[in-house]
Amino acid sequence: VMLLSERNRVLPIRLEMLKRAAERGKQALSDTHAELAREVAARAGERVEAQSLEAALSLSRAQSAAQVDEIASLGAHIEQLNAQRLNLSRRALGFEKRAAEFGAKVSSLETLLSRERKA
Protein backbone atom coordinates (compact mmCIF):
# COMPACT_ATOMS: atom_id res chain seq x y z
CA VAL A 1 0.00 0.00 0.00
CA MET A 2 2.80 2.31 0.83
CA LEU A 3 4.53 1.64 -2.43
CA LEU A 4 1.32 2.41 -4.24
CA SER A 5 0.86 5.73 -2.50
CA GLU A 6 4.53 6.59 -3.09
CA ARG A 7 4.05 5.70 -6.70
CA ASN A 8 0.91 7.82 -6.92
CA ARG A 9 2.84 10.74 -5.51
CA VAL A 10 5.89 10.28 -7.83
CA LEU A 11 3.94 9.64 -11.05
CA PRO A 12 2.48 13.16 -11.34
CA ILE A 13 5.96 14.61 -10.77
CA ARG A 14 7.43 12.35 -13.42
CA LEU A 15 4.56 13.14 -15.71
CA GLU A 16 5.20 16.87 -15.20
CA MET A 17 8.92 16.31 -15.86
CA LEU A 18 8.09 14.39 -19.03
CA LYS A 19 5.71 17.17 -20.14
CA ARG A 20 8.44 19.78 -19.56
CA ALA A 21 11.00 17.65 -21.41
CA ALA A 22 8.54 17.20 -24.27
CA GLU A 23 7.92 20.96 -24.33
CA ARG A 24 11.68 21.64 -24.38
CA GLY A 25 12.07 19.06 -27.17
CA LYS A 26 9.26 20.70 -29.11
CA GLN A 27 10.89 24.11 -28.66
CA ALA A 28 14.29 22.75 -29.68
CA LEU A 29 12.72 21.13 -32.74
CA SER A 30 10.94 24.38 -33.59
CA ASP A 31 14.21 26.33 -33.18
CA THR A 32 16.04 23.80 -35.35
CA HIS A 33 13.29 24.01 -37.96
CA ALA A 34 13.50 27.83 -37.98
CA GLU A 35 17.30 27.68 -38.27
CA LEU A 36 17.06 25.22 -41.15
CA ALA A 37 14.47 27.42 -42.84
CA ARG A 38 16.82 30.43 -42.54
CA GLU A 39 19.69 28.34 -43.94
CA VAL A 40 17.56 27.16 -46.86
CA ALA A 41 16.49 30.75 -47.56
CA ALA A 42 20.09 31.96 -47.39
CA ARG A 43 21.25 29.26 -49.78
CA ALA A 44 18.37 29.99 -52.12
CA GLY A 45 19.41 33.65 -52.03
CA GLU A 46 23.00 32.64 -52.80
CA ARG A 47 21.78 30.55 -55.74
CA VAL A 48 19.70 33.45 -57.06
CA GLU A 49 22.67 35.79 -56.64
CA ALA A 50 24.98 33.30 -58.36
CA GLN A 51 22.49 32.90 -61.22
CA SER A 52 22.22 36.68 -61.48
CA LEU A 53 26.00 37.01 -61.61
CA GLU A 54 26.21 34.26 -64.22
CA ALA A 55 23.58 36.03 -66.32
CA ALA A 56 25.45 39.33 -66.02
CA LEU A 57 28.71 37.62 -66.96
CA SER A 58 27.05 35.94 -69.94
CA LEU A 59 25.60 39.27 -71.08
CA SER A 60 28.99 40.93 -70.66
CA ARG A 61 30.64 38.18 -72.72
CA ALA A 62 28.02 38.57 -75.44
CA GLN A 63 28.51 42.33 -75.48
CA SER A 64 32.29 41.89 -75.62
CA ALA A 65 31.95 39.42 -78.50
CA ALA A 66 29.66 41.85 -80.32
CA GLN A 67 32.16 44.66 -79.77
CA VAL A 68 35.00 42.48 -81.06
CA ASP A 69 32.92 41.67 -84.14
CA GLU A 70 32.11 45.34 -84.61
CA ILE A 71 35.80 46.29 -84.27
CA ALA A 72 36.75 43.60 -86.80
CA SER A 73 34.07 44.89 -89.17
CA LEU A 74 35.31 48.46 -88.75
CA GLY A 75 38.88 47.27 -89.39
CA ALA A 76 37.79 45.59 -92.60
CA HIS A 77 35.91 48.75 -93.62
CA ILE A 78 39.00 50.87 -92.92
CA GLU A 79 41.11 48.53 -95.05
CA GLN A 80 38.56 48.83 -97.85
CA LEU A 81 38.59 52.64 -97.59
CA ASN A 82 42.40 52.66 -97.64
CA ALA A 83 42.37 50.50 -100.77
CA GLN A 84 39.90 52.91 -102.38
CA ARG A 85 42.04 55.88 -101.33
CA LEU A 86 45.13 54.25 -102.85
CA ASN A 87 43.21 53.53 -106.06
CA LEU A 88 41.99 57.13 -106.22
CA SER A 89 45.54 58.39 -105.62
CA ARG A 90 46.79 56.26 -108.52
CA ARG A 91 44.00 57.52 -110.75
CA ALA A 92 44.77 61.12 -109.74
CA LEU A 93 48.42 60.58 -110.66
CA GLY A 94 47.28 59.20 -114.02
CA PHE A 95 45.09 62.28 -114.59
CA GLU A 96 47.96 64.57 -113.62
CA LYS A 97 50.26 62.76 -116.08
CA ARG A 98 47.68 63.04 -118.86
CA ALA A 99 47.09 66.69 -118.00
CA ALA A 100 50.83 67.34 -118.20
CA GLU A 101 50.98 65.51 -121.54
CA PHE A 102 47.97 67.49 -122.77
CA GLY A 103 49.59 70.73 -121.56
CA ALA A 104 52.78 69.82 -123.41
CA LYS A 105 50.78 69.13 -126.60
CA VAL A 106 48.89 72.43 -126.25
CA SER A 107 52.17 74.23 -125.72
CA SER A 108 53.66 72.48 -128.76
CA LEU A 109 50.62 73.40 -130.86
CA GLU A 110 50.78 77.00 -129.66
CA THR A 111 54.46 77.12 -130.65
CA LEU A 112 53.64 75.72 -134.11
CA LEU A 113 50.74 78.14 -134.48
CA SER A 114 52.93 81.02 -133.46
CA ARG A 115 55.58 80.00 -136.03
CA GLU A 116 52.98 79.76 -138.77
CA ARG A 117 51.63 83.20 -137.96
CA LYS A 118 55.13 84.63 -138.16
CA ALA A 119 55.79 82.98 -141.43
Side-chain angles (χ1 to χ4, degrees):
V1 173
M2 189 140 133
L3 286 175
L4 191 57
S5 74
E6 182 67 26
R7 195 171 186 195
N8 284 341
R9 188 179 64 80
V10 171
L11 278 178
I13 294 171
R14 284 189 180 165
L15 183 60
E16 188 60 33
M17 287 174 61
L18 287 173
K19 283 181 183 178
R20 286 183 188 164
E23 190 60 38
R24 283 192 307 269
K26 245 171 83 174
Q27 186 60 44
L29 185 60
S30 176
D31 292 347
T32 301
H33 183 267
E35 186 177 329
L36 286 173
R38 283 191 297 274
E39 182 69 24
V40 166
R43 288 189 183 180
E46 289 171 1
R47 278 194 299 273
V48 167
E49 184 177 342
Q51 289 172 346
S52 176
L53 289 174
E54 287 174 5
L57 180 61
S58 178
L59 177 61
S60 177
R61 283 181 180 153
Q63 289 172 338
S64 294
Q67 289 172 345
V68 166
D69 290 345
E70 185 177 351
I71 289 169
S73 175
L74 289 174
H77 188 63
I78 288 170
E79 286 179 18
Q80 184 181 26
L81 290 174
N82 280 333
Q84 288 175 355
R85 183 185 56 82
L86 183 62
N87 188 31
L88 289 174
S89 293
R90 286 181 185 150
R91 288 178 66 193
L93 285 174
F95 287 133
E96 288 174 6
K97 183 180 175 185
R98 284 189 220 142
E101 290 170 354
F102 182 73
K105 286 179 182 178
V106 167
S107 178
S108 174
L109 287 174
E110 285 176 342
T111 303
L112 284 175
L113 185 61
S114 173
R115 284 183 191 162
E116 283 186 20
R117 284 185 186 164
K118 287 181 184 178

